[in-house]
Amino acid sequence: MELDGEKVADRATLETDLCIVGAGPAGLVLAGELAKGRHDVVLLESGGHRPEPAILALNDGVVVGDEYAGLRQTRHRQLGGTSAIWNTPVQGAIGAKYAPLDAYDLDARPGREGSGWPVSYAELLPYYARAQQRCGLGPFAYEAESWSDPPVVPFRLAGSALVSRVYQLGSRDSLVAPILGTLRRESNVRSYTHATVVRLETGRSRTGVLRAVVGSPGGARWSVHAERFVLAAGAVENARLLLSSGEPPGLGNEAGWVGRCFMEHPRDGALFLHPRSPTLYEEAAFYDLRQARDGTAVLGRLALSGDVLRSDALLNASATLFPVLRPAARRARAALGPLARSRAGEHWLPRGGHGWLRHPAPARVFAGFTLLLNLEQSPHPENRVVLGPRRDALGVPMPELHWRWRPEDEARLQKLRAVVAHTLVESGLGRVETLRESRPNPNAHHHAGTTRMSANPAHGVVDANGRVHSLDNLFVAGASVFPTAGFANPTLTIVALTLRLADHMGRTT
Protein backbone atom coordinates (compact mmCIF):
# COMPACT_ATOMS: atom_id res chain seq x y z
CA MET A 1 0.00 0.00 0.00
CA GLU A 2 1.08 3.57 -0.59
CA LEU A 3 1.08 6.17 2.20
CA ASP A 4 2.15 9.78 2.65
CA GLY A 5 4.94 10.34 5.17
CA GLU A 6 3.59 13.79 5.93
CA LYS A 7 0.59 12.15 7.61
CA VAL A 8 2.66 10.08 10.05
CA ALA A 9 2.42 11.46 13.58
CA ASP A 10 5.39 13.28 15.02
CA ARG A 11 7.66 10.97 17.09
CA ALA A 12 5.79 7.86 15.90
CA THR A 13 7.72 4.61 15.48
CA LEU A 14 6.85 2.11 12.76
CA GLU A 15 7.80 -1.54 13.19
CA THR A 16 8.77 -3.76 10.27
CA ASP A 17 11.01 -6.63 9.17
CA LEU A 18 12.84 -4.66 6.51
CA CYS A 19 13.27 -0.94 5.88
CA ILE A 20 14.42 0.14 2.40
CA VAL A 21 15.67 3.69 1.94
CA GLY A 22 15.05 4.97 -1.61
CA ALA A 23 12.48 4.02 -4.26
CA GLY A 24 14.64 4.18 -7.37
CA PRO A 25 15.18 1.06 -9.50
CA ALA A 26 17.18 -0.74 -6.77
CA GLY A 27 14.74 -0.02 -3.94
CA LEU A 28 11.67 -0.79 -6.03
CA VAL A 29 13.05 -4.08 -7.37
CA LEU A 30 14.09 -5.20 -3.89
CA ALA A 31 10.71 -4.33 -2.36
CA GLY A 32 8.89 -6.07 -5.19
CA GLU A 33 10.93 -9.25 -4.83
CA LEU A 34 10.68 -9.48 -1.04
CA ALA A 35 6.96 -8.74 -1.07
CA LYS A 36 6.49 -12.12 -2.74
CA GLY A 37 7.97 -13.86 0.30
CA ARG A 38 5.50 -12.17 2.62
CA HIS A 39 8.18 -10.13 4.35
CA ASP A 40 6.85 -7.02 6.04
CA VAL A 41 8.54 -4.15 4.23
CA VAL A 42 8.62 -0.39 4.70
CA LEU A 43 9.89 1.52 1.65
CA LEU A 44 10.85 5.16 2.25
CA GLU A 45 11.02 7.65 -0.63
CA SER A 46 12.07 11.27 -0.13
CA GLY A 47 9.97 12.54 -3.04
CA GLY A 48 6.45 12.01 -4.31
CA HIS A 49 4.83 11.25 -7.65
CA ARG A 50 6.02 14.45 -9.30
CA PRO A 51 9.05 16.72 -9.05
CA GLU A 52 8.71 19.04 -6.05
CA PRO A 53 11.14 21.97 -5.79
CA ALA A 54 11.44 21.84 -1.99
CA ILE A 55 12.26 18.13 -2.10
CA LEU A 56 14.66 18.44 -5.02
CA ALA A 57 16.51 21.18 -3.12
CA LEU A 58 17.63 18.44 -0.70
CA ASN A 59 19.93 17.28 -3.50
CA ASP A 60 21.99 20.47 -3.33
CA GLY A 61 25.69 20.20 -2.66
CA VAL A 62 29.07 21.55 -3.60
CA VAL A 63 31.45 20.32 -6.30
CA VAL A 64 35.18 20.78 -5.68
CA GLY A 65 37.61 20.25 -8.54
CA ASP A 66 36.82 19.97 -12.23
CA GLU A 67 33.67 21.28 -13.89
CA TYR A 68 30.61 19.16 -13.20
CA ALA A 69 26.89 19.81 -13.62
CA GLY A 70 26.26 19.60 -9.90
CA LEU A 71 24.66 17.32 -7.34
CA ARG A 72 21.16 18.73 -7.71
CA GLN A 73 21.13 18.47 -11.51
CA THR A 74 22.45 14.91 -11.62
CA ARG A 75 20.17 13.38 -8.96
CA HIS A 76 16.41 13.11 -8.46
CA ARG A 77 13.94 12.46 -5.63
CA GLN A 78 10.68 10.91 -6.77
CA LEU A 79 9.08 7.48 -6.99
CA GLY A 80 11.26 5.73 -9.57
CA GLY A 81 14.37 7.73 -8.63
CA THR A 82 16.53 8.98 -11.46
CA SER A 83 14.52 6.90 -13.95
CA ALA A 84 12.12 9.87 -13.82
CA ILE A 85 14.73 11.97 -15.63
CA TRP A 86 15.91 9.41 -18.18
CA ASN A 87 16.08 11.00 -21.62
CA THR A 88 16.47 8.25 -24.23
CA PRO A 89 13.44 7.95 -26.54
CA VAL A 90 12.27 4.35 -26.88
CA GLN A 91 9.43 3.65 -29.32
CA GLY A 92 7.43 6.70 -28.31
CA ALA A 93 8.30 6.55 -24.60
CA ILE A 94 11.17 7.69 -22.41
CA GLY A 95 13.75 5.14 -21.38
CA ALA A 96 17.40 4.25 -21.24
CA LYS A 97 20.14 2.23 -22.90
CA TYR A 98 20.99 -1.11 -21.31
CA ALA A 99 24.13 -3.23 -21.45
CA PRO A 100 25.74 -5.63 -18.99
CA LEU A 101 29.21 -5.26 -17.62
CA ASP A 102 31.77 -7.32 -19.50
CA ALA A 103 33.35 -10.33 -17.79
CA TYR A 104 36.73 -8.60 -17.65
CA ASP A 105 35.15 -5.62 -15.85
CA LEU A 106 34.96 -7.85 -12.77
CA ASP A 107 38.51 -9.20 -13.08
CA ALA A 108 41.51 -8.04 -11.08
CA ARG A 109 43.93 -6.76 -13.73
CA PRO A 110 47.47 -5.39 -13.46
CA GLY A 111 47.61 -1.66 -14.16
CA ARG A 112 43.90 -1.20 -13.38
CA GLU A 113 43.45 0.58 -10.07
CA GLY A 114 40.95 -0.83 -7.60
CA SER A 115 40.01 -3.69 -9.91
CA GLY A 116 38.61 -7.04 -8.88
CA TRP A 117 35.08 -7.77 -7.70
CA PRO A 118 34.31 -10.30 -4.93
CA VAL A 119 31.53 -11.58 -7.22
CA SER A 120 32.29 -13.60 -10.34
CA TYR A 121 30.69 -13.01 -13.73
CA ALA A 122 29.33 -16.56 -13.66
CA GLU A 123 27.45 -15.70 -10.46
CA LEU A 124 25.90 -12.64 -12.11
CA LEU A 125 24.76 -14.33 -15.33
CA PRO A 126 21.49 -15.88 -14.06
CA TYR A 127 20.58 -12.56 -12.44
CA TYR A 128 21.29 -10.68 -15.66
CA ALA A 129 18.80 -12.99 -17.40
CA ARG A 130 16.18 -12.19 -14.77
CA ALA A 131 17.03 -8.49 -14.91
CA GLN A 132 16.28 -8.49 -18.65
CA GLN A 133 12.72 -9.51 -17.86
CA ARG A 134 12.32 -7.00 -15.02
CA CYS A 135 13.47 -4.20 -17.32
CA GLY A 136 11.15 -5.21 -20.16
CA LEU A 137 14.00 -6.02 -22.56
CA GLY A 138 14.65 -8.75 -25.10
CA PRO A 139 16.78 -11.84 -24.51
CA PHE A 140 20.10 -11.55 -22.66
CA ALA A 141 22.07 -11.21 -25.89
CA TYR A 142 24.44 -8.32 -26.63
CA GLU A 143 26.83 -9.78 -29.22
CA ALA A 144 26.46 -8.64 -32.83
CA GLU A 145 25.63 -12.11 -34.10
CA SER A 146 22.34 -12.18 -32.20
CA TRP A 147 21.11 -9.01 -33.93
CA SER A 148 22.53 -9.30 -37.45
CA ASP A 149 19.79 -9.52 -40.06
CA PRO A 150 21.24 -9.26 -43.61
CA PRO A 151 21.71 -6.79 -45.13
CA VAL A 152 21.89 -5.16 -41.67
CA VAL A 153 25.24 -6.53 -40.52
CA PRO A 154 28.18 -5.11 -38.54
CA PHE A 155 31.33 -3.69 -40.09
CA ARG A 156 34.18 -6.01 -40.98
CA LEU A 157 36.75 -4.56 -38.63
CA ALA A 158 40.49 -4.88 -39.13
CA GLY A 159 42.63 -6.19 -36.31
CA SER A 160 41.43 -7.47 -32.95
CA ALA A 161 41.02 -4.29 -30.91
CA LEU A 162 37.36 -3.52 -31.68
CA VAL A 163 34.28 -5.71 -31.96
CA SER A 164 30.63 -4.92 -32.64
CA ARG A 165 27.95 -5.32 -29.98
CA VAL A 166 24.62 -3.67 -29.12
CA TYR A 167 22.75 -1.72 -26.53
CA GLN A 168 19.15 -2.71 -25.86
CA LEU A 169 16.75 0.12 -25.12
CA GLY A 170 13.91 -0.10 -22.65
CA SER A 171 11.28 2.33 -21.44
CA ARG A 172 11.01 3.62 -17.89
CA ASP A 173 7.44 2.36 -17.62
CA SER A 174 8.49 -1.19 -18.51
CA LEU A 175 10.66 -1.28 -15.40
CA VAL A 176 8.93 0.99 -12.89
CA ALA A 177 5.18 0.79 -13.58
CA PRO A 178 4.69 -2.98 -12.98
CA ILE A 179 6.56 -2.84 -9.66
CA LEU A 180 4.65 0.21 -8.43
CA GLY A 181 1.42 -1.57 -9.31
CA THR A 182 2.48 -4.65 -7.35
CA LEU A 183 3.51 -2.64 -4.31
CA ARG A 184 0.19 -0.76 -4.24
CA ARG A 185 -1.68 -4.08 -4.16
CA GLU A 186 0.46 -5.83 -1.53
CA SER A 187 -0.63 -5.27 2.07
CA ASN A 188 2.75 -6.38 3.44
CA VAL A 189 4.58 -3.48 1.77
CA ARG A 190 4.07 0.05 3.07
CA SER A 191 5.52 2.56 0.63
CA TYR A 192 5.90 6.05 2.11
CA THR A 193 6.41 9.16 -0.02
CA HIS A 194 7.74 12.44 1.45
CA ALA A 195 9.82 10.38 3.88
CA THR A 196 13.46 11.51 3.91
CA VAL A 197 15.81 9.51 6.10
CA VAL A 198 18.02 11.97 7.98
CA ARG A 199 20.14 9.52 9.99
CA LEU A 200 20.55 5.92 11.07
CA GLU A 201 20.84 5.07 14.76
CA THR A 202 22.65 2.08 16.24
CA GLY A 203 22.44 0.43 19.63
CA ARG A 204 25.10 0.55 22.31
CA SER A 205 27.02 -2.32 20.74
CA ARG A 206 27.15 -0.45 17.42
CA THR A 207 27.01 -3.77 15.57
CA GLY A 208 23.63 -3.11 13.97
CA VAL A 209 21.17 -0.37 13.05
CA LEU A 210 18.16 0.02 15.34
CA ARG A 211 16.16 2.67 13.53
CA ALA A 212 16.01 5.07 10.62
CA VAL A 213 15.00 8.59 11.62
CA VAL A 214 12.71 10.23 9.05
CA GLY A 215 12.06 13.89 8.38
CA SER A 216 8.97 15.06 6.51
CA PRO A 217 8.51 18.42 4.75
CA GLY A 218 5.96 19.52 7.35
CA GLY A 219 8.53 19.26 10.15
CA ALA A 220 7.51 15.99 11.80
CA ARG A 221 10.17 13.53 12.93
CA TRP A 222 9.35 9.84 13.12
CA SER A 223 11.29 6.61 12.88
CA VAL A 224 11.27 3.09 11.50
CA HIS A 225 12.49 0.24 13.70
CA ALA A 226 13.43 -2.83 11.66
CA GLU A 227 15.32 -6.09 11.78
CA ARG A 228 17.24 -5.17 8.63
CA PHE A 229 17.89 -2.02 6.62
CA VAL A 230 18.90 -1.41 3.01
CA LEU A 231 20.27 1.86 1.65
CA ALA A 232 19.19 2.26 -1.99
CA ALA A 233 19.34 6.04 -2.32
CA GLY A 234 22.14 6.46 -4.88
CA ALA A 235 25.90 6.74 -4.61
CA VAL A 236 25.93 10.27 -3.18
CA GLU A 237 23.10 9.82 -0.68
CA ASN A 238 24.16 6.35 0.49
CA ALA A 239 27.58 7.73 1.38
CA ARG A 240 26.10 10.89 2.91
CA LEU A 241 23.83 8.90 5.23
CA LEU A 242 26.64 6.65 6.39
CA LEU A 243 28.98 9.57 6.98
CA SER A 244 26.40 11.61 8.90
CA SER A 245 25.15 8.75 11.11
CA GLY A 246 26.72 7.44 14.30
CA GLU A 247 29.93 8.78 15.76
CA PRO A 248 32.67 10.16 13.46
CA PRO A 249 33.92 8.91 11.05
CA GLY A 250 30.44 7.53 10.35
CA LEU A 251 28.85 4.10 10.01
CA GLY A 252 30.79 1.46 8.09
CA ASN A 253 33.74 3.81 7.69
CA GLU A 254 36.28 2.11 9.94
CA ALA A 255 38.67 1.65 7.01
CA GLY A 256 37.97 5.12 5.61
CA TRP A 257 36.37 4.00 2.32
CA VAL A 258 32.88 5.49 2.65
CA GLY A 259 32.45 8.15 -0.03
CA ARG A 260 35.67 7.30 -1.85
CA CYS A 261 36.13 6.15 -5.46
CA PHE A 262 33.21 8.11 -6.90
CA MET A 263 32.95 7.25 -10.59
CA GLU A 264 31.06 8.66 -13.57
CA HIS A 265 30.86 7.68 -17.24
CA PRO A 266 32.43 10.62 -19.09
CA ARG A 267 31.57 10.94 -22.79
CA ASP A 268 34.05 12.07 -25.41
CA GLY A 269 33.04 13.38 -28.82
CA ALA A 270 36.41 14.46 -30.22
CA LEU A 271 36.62 11.92 -33.08
CA PHE A 272 34.81 12.50 -36.37
CA LEU A 273 34.48 9.90 -39.14
CA HIS A 274 34.42 11.23 -42.71
CA PRO A 275 32.84 8.37 -44.68
CA ARG A 276 34.91 6.98 -47.54
CA SER A 277 31.75 6.67 -49.64
CA PRO A 278 28.11 7.88 -49.56
CA THR A 279 27.13 4.22 -49.31
CA LEU A 280 28.58 4.01 -45.79
CA TYR A 281 25.31 5.26 -44.29
CA GLU A 282 23.54 2.19 -45.65
CA GLU A 283 26.47 -0.07 -44.71
CA ALA A 284 26.32 1.31 -41.15
CA ALA A 285 22.67 0.33 -40.69
CA PHE A 286 23.63 -2.06 -37.86
CA TYR A 287 24.70 0.97 -35.77
CA ASP A 288 21.48 2.90 -36.33
CA LEU A 289 18.64 2.78 -33.82
CA ARG A 290 16.22 0.09 -35.01
CA GLN A 291 13.62 -2.41 -33.95
CA ALA A 292 14.63 -6.05 -34.30
CA ARG A 293 12.29 -8.76 -35.59
CA ASP A 294 11.23 -9.69 -32.05
CA GLY A 295 10.38 -6.05 -31.25
CA THR A 296 13.49 -5.32 -29.19
CA ALA A 297 14.90 -1.82 -29.70
CA VAL A 298 18.64 -2.15 -30.35
CA LEU A 299 21.49 0.21 -31.12
CA GLY A 300 24.75 -1.10 -32.53
CA ARG A 301 28.03 0.00 -30.99
CA LEU A 302 31.77 -0.55 -31.22
CA ALA A 303 33.33 -2.18 -28.17
CA LEU A 304 36.84 -2.89 -26.99
CA SER A 305 37.64 -6.58 -27.26
CA GLY A 306 38.59 -8.76 -24.31
CA ASP A 307 42.00 -9.32 -25.90
CA VAL A 308 42.94 -5.63 -25.88
CA LEU A 309 41.52 -5.05 -22.39
CA ARG A 310 43.37 -7.99 -20.90
CA SER A 311 46.67 -7.16 -22.58
CA ASP A 312 46.66 -3.38 -22.17
CA ALA A 313 46.21 -0.75 -19.47
CA LEU A 314 43.17 0.70 -21.28
CA LEU A 315 39.95 1.02 -19.34
CA ASN A 316 36.72 -0.12 -20.94
CA ALA A 317 34.81 2.03 -23.45
CA SER A 318 32.16 1.89 -26.15
CA ALA A 319 31.59 3.99 -29.28
CA THR A 320 28.30 4.91 -30.92
CA LEU A 321 27.89 6.63 -34.29
CA PHE A 322 26.00 9.93 -34.29
CA PRO A 323 25.35 11.46 -37.74
CA VAL A 324 26.05 15.19 -38.05
CA LEU A 325 23.91 17.43 -40.27
CA ARG A 326 25.54 19.33 -43.10
CA PRO A 327 25.44 23.15 -42.66
CA ALA A 328 22.70 23.59 -45.28
CA ALA A 329 20.55 20.94 -43.60
CA ARG A 330 21.08 22.58 -40.21
CA ARG A 331 19.97 25.93 -41.61
CA ALA A 332 16.90 24.40 -43.24
CA ARG A 333 15.96 22.61 -40.05
CA ALA A 334 16.47 25.78 -37.97
CA ALA A 335 14.15 27.69 -40.32
CA LEU A 336 11.24 25.38 -39.48
CA GLY A 337 8.89 26.39 -36.70
CA PRO A 338 8.88 24.28 -33.54
CA LEU A 339 5.84 22.23 -34.58
CA ALA A 340 7.13 21.63 -38.09
CA ARG A 341 10.55 20.71 -36.67
CA SER A 342 9.01 18.09 -34.42
CA ARG A 343 6.92 16.63 -37.26
CA ALA A 344 9.92 16.56 -39.58
CA GLY A 345 12.17 15.12 -36.90
CA GLU A 346 12.06 11.50 -37.99
CA HIS A 347 13.20 12.50 -41.47
CA TRP A 348 15.91 14.89 -40.32
CA LEU A 349 17.49 13.99 -37.06
CA PRO A 350 15.38 12.38 -34.34
CA ARG A 351 16.16 13.02 -30.70
CA GLY A 352 19.22 11.06 -29.72
CA GLY A 353 20.94 11.62 -33.06
CA HIS A 354 19.92 8.36 -34.72
CA GLY A 355 17.46 7.18 -37.30
CA TRP A 356 19.60 8.43 -40.19
CA LEU A 357 18.38 5.67 -42.50
CA ARG A 358 14.83 7.01 -42.23
CA HIS A 359 15.93 9.80 -44.52
CA PRO A 360 15.72 8.81 -48.22
CA ALA A 361 19.14 10.31 -49.07
CA PRO A 362 21.25 10.44 -45.88
CA ALA A 363 24.50 11.32 -47.69
CA ARG A 364 22.93 14.58 -48.87
CA VAL A 365 21.90 15.55 -45.36
CA PHE A 366 24.73 14.30 -43.16
CA ALA A 367 28.42 15.24 -43.26
CA GLY A 368 29.70 12.21 -41.35
CA PHE A 369 29.64 10.69 -37.88
CA THR A 370 30.71 11.85 -34.46
CA LEU A 371 32.17 8.85 -32.65
CA LEU A 372 30.76 9.23 -29.16
CA LEU A 373 33.00 7.37 -26.72
CA ASN A 374 31.40 6.29 -23.45
CA LEU A 375 34.26 5.90 -21.01
CA GLU A 376 35.08 3.97 -17.90
CA GLN A 377 36.66 6.05 -15.15
CA SER A 378 39.15 4.57 -12.72
CA PRO A 379 38.07 4.38 -9.04
CA HIS A 380 40.48 6.95 -7.62
CA PRO A 381 40.20 7.28 -3.80
CA GLU A 382 40.44 11.08 -3.93
CA ASN A 383 37.37 11.32 -6.15
CA ARG A 384 34.99 11.23 -3.24
CA VAL A 385 31.89 12.42 -1.40
CA VAL A 386 32.46 14.15 1.95
CA LEU A 387 30.26 16.17 4.31
CA GLY A 388 30.37 19.94 3.95
CA PRO A 389 29.85 22.60 6.62
CA ARG A 390 26.35 23.62 5.46
CA ARG A 391 23.12 21.78 6.29
CA ASP A 392 19.97 21.27 4.26
CA ALA A 393 16.42 22.17 5.26
CA LEU A 394 16.13 18.97 7.34
CA GLY A 395 19.38 19.61 9.20
CA VAL A 396 21.52 17.02 7.40
CA PRO A 397 25.07 18.05 6.42
CA MET A 398 25.18 18.78 2.71
CA PRO A 399 27.52 16.69 0.57
CA GLU A 400 30.62 17.87 -1.24
CA LEU A 401 31.78 16.01 -4.32
CA HIS A 402 35.53 16.13 -4.89
CA TRP A 403 35.97 15.11 -8.53
CA ARG A 404 38.74 15.48 -11.07
CA TRP A 405 39.53 14.08 -14.49
CA ARG A 406 43.02 12.88 -13.69
CA PRO A 407 46.16 12.73 -15.85
CA GLU A 408 46.05 8.93 -15.96
CA ASP A 409 42.44 9.11 -17.20
CA GLU A 410 43.47 11.57 -19.92
CA ALA A 411 46.42 9.42 -20.99
CA ARG A 412 44.13 6.42 -21.41
CA LEU A 413 41.64 8.51 -23.38
CA GLN A 414 44.36 9.63 -25.80
CA LYS A 415 45.40 6.02 -26.31
CA LEU A 416 41.79 4.94 -26.78
CA ARG A 417 41.18 7.58 -29.44
CA ALA A 418 44.25 6.31 -31.31
CA VAL A 419 43.02 2.69 -31.13
CA VAL A 420 39.54 3.57 -32.41
CA ALA A 421 40.79 5.86 -35.19
CA HIS A 422 43.41 3.36 -36.38
CA THR A 423 40.91 0.49 -36.53
CA LEU A 424 38.32 2.45 -38.51
CA VAL A 425 40.90 3.72 -41.00
CA GLU A 426 42.44 0.26 -41.41
CA SER A 427 38.94 -1.15 -41.94
CA GLY A 428 38.48 1.20 -44.91
CA LEU A 429 35.53 3.08 -43.43
CA GLY A 430 36.93 6.55 -44.07
CA ARG A 431 39.11 9.25 -42.55
CA VAL A 432 39.05 9.98 -38.83
CA GLU A 433 39.68 13.51 -37.63
CA THR A 434 40.26 14.72 -34.08
CA LEU A 435 38.16 17.87 -33.90
CA ARG A 436 39.24 19.01 -30.46
CA GLU A 437 41.41 18.02 -27.55
CA SER A 438 39.02 19.06 -24.78
CA ARG A 439 38.23 17.00 -21.72
CA PRO A 440 35.21 14.70 -21.99
CA ASN A 441 31.77 15.59 -20.65
CA PRO A 442 31.38 13.89 -17.23
CA ASN A 443 27.64 14.40 -16.87
CA ALA A 444 26.15 10.99 -17.66
CA HIS A 445 24.45 11.00 -14.21
CA HIS A 446 25.84 7.50 -13.59
CA HIS A 447 27.09 7.82 -10.00
CA ALA A 448 28.96 4.79 -8.69
CA GLY A 449 31.57 3.50 -6.30
CA THR A 450 31.17 5.32 -2.96
CA THR A 451 30.37 2.21 -0.87
CA ARG A 452 32.57 -0.22 -2.78
CA MET A 453 32.24 -3.97 -2.46
CA SER A 454 35.26 -5.92 -1.18
CA ALA A 455 36.13 -9.33 0.22
CA ASN A 456 38.47 -7.73 2.76
CA PRO A 457 36.94 -5.12 5.14
CA ALA A 458 40.17 -3.14 4.91
CA HIS A 459 39.56 -2.48 1.20
CA GLY A 460 35.90 -1.49 1.03
CA VAL A 461 32.56 -0.84 2.71
CA VAL A 462 30.30 -3.83 1.93
CA ASP A 463 30.84 -7.53 1.37
CA ALA A 464 29.90 -9.61 -1.67
CA ASN A 465 26.26 -9.65 -0.54
CA GLY A 466 26.07 -5.90 -0.05
CA ARG A 467 26.21 -6.05 3.77
CA VAL A 468 28.21 -3.33 5.48
CA HIS A 469 31.26 -5.14 6.86
CA SER A 470 30.98 -3.83 10.40
CA LEU A 471 27.19 -3.98 10.80
CA ASP A 472 25.08 -7.12 11.07
CA ASN A 473 21.87 -5.81 9.55
CA LEU A 474 22.70 -2.93 7.18
CA PHE A 475 22.93 -3.55 3.43
CA VAL A 476 23.56 -1.27 0.45
CA ALA A 477 22.05 -1.66 -3.03
CA GLY A 478 22.77 0.19 -6.26
CA ALA A 479 25.82 1.32 -8.21
CA SER A 480 27.53 2.68 -5.10
CA VAL A 481 28.72 -0.88 -4.37
CA PHE A 482 30.50 -1.21 -7.74
CA PRO A 483 34.28 -1.58 -7.21
CA THR A 484 34.72 -0.63 -10.89
CA ALA A 485 32.03 0.67 -13.24
CA GLY A 486 33.02 -0.39 -16.76
CA PHE A 487 31.50 1.80 -19.48
CA ALA A 488 27.95 0.39 -19.38
CA ASN A 489 24.85 2.24 -18.27
CA PRO A 490 24.48 0.84 -14.73
CA THR A 491 20.77 0.02 -14.50
CA LEU A 492 20.92 -3.57 -15.76
CA THR A 493 23.72 -4.43 -13.33
CA ILE A 494 21.93 -2.59 -10.51
CA VAL A 495 18.81 -4.69 -11.11
CA ALA A 496 20.83 -7.92 -11.39
CA LEU A 497 22.69 -7.28 -8.12
CA THR A 498 19.43 -6.29 -6.42
CA LEU A 499 17.79 -9.56 -7.47
CA ARG A 500 20.82 -11.36 -6.08
CA LEU A 501 20.50 -9.41 -2.81
CA ALA A 502 16.80 -10.27 -2.63
CA ASP A 503 17.62 -13.98 -2.94
CA HIS A 504 20.28 -13.65 -0.22
CA MET A 505 17.95 -11.82 2.15
CA GLY A 506 15.18 -14.33 1.47
CA ARG A 507 17.51 -17.20 2.40
CA THR A 508 18.82 -15.54 5.56
CA THR A 509 15.52 -14.46 7.13
Side-chain angles (χ1 to χ4, degrees), residues 320-335:
T320 45
L321 278 64
F322 278 76
V324 176
L325 286 170
R326 293 183 181 277
R330 284 201 300 271
R331 290 193 294 271
R333 179 175 168 82

Side-chain angles (χ1 to χ4, degrees), residues 151-167:
V152 180
V153 296
F155 293 142
R156 292 185 178 181
L157 297 168
S160 60
L162 297 183
V163 296
S164 294
R165 296 193 177 114
V166 301
Y167 289 108

Side-chain angles (χ1 to χ4, degrees), residues 207-231:
T207 60
V209 174
L210 285 181
R211 65 182 60 85
V213 179
V214 179
S216 292
R221 281 287 196 277
W222 47 279
S223 63
V224 179
H225 179 273
E227 295 296 318
R228 293 184 290 184
F229 296 81
V230 178
L231 298 184

Side-chain angles (χ1 to χ4, degrees), residues 141-485:
Y142 288 85
E143 299 296 331
E145 293 78 9
S146 299
W147 305 101
S148 297
D149 187 11
V152 180
V153 296
F155 293 142
R156 292 185 178 181
L157 297 168
S160 60
L162 297 183
V163 296
S164 294
R165 296 193 177 114
V166 301
Y167 289 108
Q168 293 188 32
L169 281 72
S171 72
R172 175 185 184 271
D173 286 345
S174 295
L175 170 61
V176 172
I179 301 175
L180 287 177
T182 297
L183 298 184
R184 291 186 185 110
R185 292 191 300 271
E186 297 292 344
S187 60
N188 62 314
V189 179
R190 288 168 284 169
S191 176
Y192 287 88
T193 57
H194 305 118
T196 302
V197 174
V198 297
R199 69 179 181 276
L200 303 173
E201 294 183 349
T202 61
R204 292 182 180 179
S205 67
R206 299 183 183 177
T207 60
V209 174
L210 285 181
R211 65 182 60 85
V213 179
V214 179
S216 292
R221 281 287 196 277
W222 47 279
S223 63
V224 179
H225 179 273
E227 295 296 318
R228 293 184 290 184
F229 296 81
V230 178
L231 298 184
V236 174
E237 203 66 17
N238 287 346
R240 181 192 190 190
L241 272 172
L242 290 173
L243 291 170
S244 60
S245 298
E247 299 294 327
L251 297 182
N253 199 29
E254 292 77 8
W257 283 103
V258 173
R260 292 189 182 272
C261 299
F262 176 91
M263 293 172 284
E264 257 280 12
H265 282 145
R267 294 168 292 184
D268 179 67
L271 298 182
F272 190 86
L273 174 63
H274 297 271
R276 54 149 172 78
S277 164
T279 62
L280 189 67
Y281 293 97
E282 286 76 17
E283 295 168 19
F286 181 85
Y287 307 92
D288 197 359
L289 177 61
R290 59 195 172 91
Q291 188 171 343
R293 288 180 182 270
D294 68 352
T296 304
V298 295
L299 173 66
R301 61 184 181 87
L302 300 172
L304 291 174
S305 70
D307 290 342
V308 73
L309 285 169
R310 290 190 177 98
S311 64
D312 211 312
L314 282 176
L315 297 185
N316 211 342
S318 179
T320 45
L321 278 64
F322 278 76
V324 176
L325 286 170
R326 293 183 181 277
R330 284 201 300 271
R331 290 193 294 271
R333 179 175 168 82
L336 296 172
L339 180 60
R341 262 202 306 275
S342 66
R343 289 176 174 172
E346 69 175 272
H347 299 298
W348 284 86
L349 191 61
R351 286 183 299 168
H354 292 84
W356 66 80
L357 288 177
R358 297 178 189 177
H359 194 279
R364 295 182 182 180
V365 175
F366 302 111
F369 296 100
T370 291
L371 298 167
L372 185 67
L373 301 177
N374 293 276
L375 308 171
E376 177 180 10
Q377 184 179 18
S378 58
H380 197 288
E382 294 308 311
N383 285 342
R384 61 187 300 198
V385 173
V386 300
L387 299 180
R390 298 168 54 204
R391 293 178 179 266
D392 66 19
L394 296 177
V396 182
M398 294 172 65
E400 286 185 358
L401 172 62
H402 293 241
W403 185 92
R404 287 180 174 83
W405 181 247
R406 298 183 177 275
E408 57 267 35
D409 297 320
E410 183 63 23
R412 286 170 172 143
L413 174 56
Q414 296 289 346
K415 190 171 184 179
L416 172 67
R417 287 173 179 167
V419 167
V420 172
H422 176 77
T423 299
L424 298 187
V425 171
E426 289 295 303
S427 302
L429 300 179
R431 177 173 62 88
V432 177
E433 178 185 6
T434 302
L435 297 180
R436 58 188 181 278
E437 290 288 347
S438 61
R439 290 186 174 183
N441 179 351
N443 297 296
H445 306 185
H446 296 169
H447 301 168
T450 56
T451 62
R452 58 189 285 109
M453 189 188 299
S454 67
N456 186 335
H459 300 151
V461 179
V462 304
D463 66 14
N465 292 312
R467 182 182 64 81
V468 174
H469 284 298
S470 58
L471 295 163
D472 296 335
N473 67 341
L474 178 60
F475 296 77
V476 183
S480 69
V481 306
F482 291 10
T484 52

